[in-house]
Amino acid sequence: MPIILTACTQRKRIPTDPLLCARDLPIGTLRQVADAWLAKVATINDVAPAKDIYCGRSFVEAKKAAASAQAELHIVSAGLGLVHGEQDIPSYNLTVSQGSPDCILNKLQDHGGADWWVALGGRQALHDVFDRSGGLILIALPSPYFRMVAPALHGVSGALCERMRIVGGCDVPDLNPRLEHVRLPYDDRLDGPQSTLPGTRSDFASRAIRHFVENVLSAAPLATAKEHAELVEVALAGWDRPSPKSGTRMSDYDLKSIVRDHWSRADGRSTKLLRILRDELNIACEQKRFSRLTAEIREERAL
């Protein structure tokens, strides 16, 4: 059975437990902060399977890819390490994305995100998954999460590497060179006018893995990594890249979903949210429209 590795999301379907927010942790060494966080987690009841807690477009696309491929979905979680999609978990607020008041990197005096993930047991859990898996391992992670996982992939065997297919995390430094050979050649053509799955940078990896599963893997399940890469190129042939001069436009529903995903990171501040949309995600949104949508989200959060 294939495995899909995706990232957790800040947005949750179930309200976050107020006792489980990274902003309330003390600043300290990796061990001190990890012990404090794990002690909190141990006191909070699990509320639902992980697949039913995380939401937002990136997670939805990963779920669709897993369903299409009949794959196990595993989630790289900044707060819990590595969790199976069917595993019951609590609802929490902890991220490795800079700018959020719940960014754990603000609390660590001596280490970064990769060491934090190891302290949560993520690397060992990932290796356990690799050991019992015999199928393809599809890794679809945005850069902050790929950087967290990359050290755990450094010493993988050649045989295991050949079973991997990677999208996302193109700017991760010091990646095992063998892993670059199993990277699928998805690029911004996925956001061009001919694409069937356009979107934003934040959900790129999940959209790419869904496209791969539905359009390439389904037709060539036994192909090698090189053959899969060639088939991706064939699938994207003739697709134009998006214009860099005009931001991606989207519906109110999709735009509100993106704003919710980045709400905590911007601490609900409209100016910062608009800068994230325009400058980082290349999403076009008029000021008047943006003000209306953020006001609607504030009302939702006040209920």
Side-chain angles (χ1 to χ4, degrees):
M1 176 181 290
I3 286 171
I4 290 181
L5 204 64
T6 191
C8 65
T9 59
Q10 286 184 267
R11 188 178 165 203
K12 313 290 195 301
R13 293 186 184 280
I14 296 175
T16 299
D17 192 303
L19 299 178
L20 214 52
C21 296
R23 69 187 72 184
D24 298 325
L25 290 170
I27 295 174
T29 65
L30 173 67
R31 191 67 268 162
Q32 289 169 337
V33 178
D35 286 346
W37 176 252
L38 293 172
K40 281 177 173 284
V41 171
T43 65
I44 304 301
N45 292 330
D46 297 332
V47 292
K51 66 181 179 62
D52 298 328
I53 289 186
Y54 300 112
C55 56
R57 185 176 181 190
S58 62
F59 195 73
V60 169
E61 297 291 0
K63 285 176 63 175
K64 288 180 178 178
S68 180
Q70 297 183 328
E72 285 188 7
L73 184 65
H74 291 263
I75 301 125
V76 175
S77 166
L80 302 173
L82 185 73
V83 296
H84 192 289
E86 299 292 343
Q87 179 181 335
D88 287 344
I89 63 170
S91 186
Y92 63 93
N93 258 341
L94 188 151
T95 181
V96 291
S97 296
Q98 295 280 8
S100 168
D102 290 300
C103 179
I104 194 61
L105 304 182
N106 300 332
K107 302 294 184 177
L108 302 177
Q109 294 176 332
D110 55 350
H111 290 80
D115 296 312
W116 169 256
W117 196 63
V118 171
L120 295 182
R123 180 166 64 181
Q124 183 58 55
L126 184 61
H127 287 171
D128 290 344
V129 169
F130 289 165
D131 287 344
R132 66 173 181 266
S133 167
L136 285 181
I137 299 167
L138 312 179
I139 301 176
L141 296 171
S143 292
Y145 286 81
F146 205 112
R147 282 192 290 270
M148 194 163 62
V149 169
L153 303 177
H154 186 73
V156 297
S157 68
L160 180 58
C161 187
E162 283 300 313
R163 291 197 284 118
M164 292 182 178
R165 304 289 183 269
I166 296 174
V167 295
C170 290
D171 58 347
V172 174
D174 302 324
L175 188 65
N176 184 331
R178 289 180 302 175
L179 295 174
E180 292 293 351
H181 294 299
V182 297
R183 184 185 293 281
L184 300 172
Y186 283 98
D187 53 32
D188 58 355
R189 287 175 292 177
L190 193 64
D191 298 317
Q194 292 88 6
S195 174
T196 55
L197 286 169
T200 67
R201 294 178 188 176
S202 63
D203 51 45
F204 174 84
S206 295
R207 290 183 291 114
I209 209 64
R210 181 184 171 193
H211 181 275
F212 172 71
V213 163
E214 294 180 352
N215 296 276
V216 177
L217 185 62
S218 61
L222 301 180
T224 65
K226 181 180 179 181
E227 291 167 342
H228 276 154
E230 292 170 349
L231 289 170
V232 169
E233 284 290 2
V234 170
L236 300 184
W239 286 17
D240 297 323
R241 299 176 186 273
S243 169
K245 296 182 179 180
S246 59
T248 302
R249 301 194 65 85
M250 56 180 57
S251 67
D252 283 2
Y253 177 87
D254 289 337
L255 186 58
K256 286 172 73 174
S257 177
I258 297 297
V259 172
R260 290 189 192 98
D261 283 343
H262 293 273
W263 190 271
S264 295
R265 175 185 172 194
D267 204 22
R269 289 179 290 173
S270 297
T271 301
K272 187 169 183 177
L273 283 165
L274 189 56
R275 291 269 63 83
I276 290 172
L277 288 180
R278 290 177 174 175
D279 298 343
E280 295 185 20
L281 305 180
N282 194 34
I283 298 175
C285 185
E286 298 170 349
Q287 181 73 47
K288 185 176 180 180
R289 179 189 180 204
F290 179 77
S291 298
R292 172 176 60 82
L293 296 179
T294 53
E296 292 174 3
I297 294 173
R298 285 195 181 90
E299 290 180 7
E300 293 173 4
R301 294 173 67 88
L303 296 177

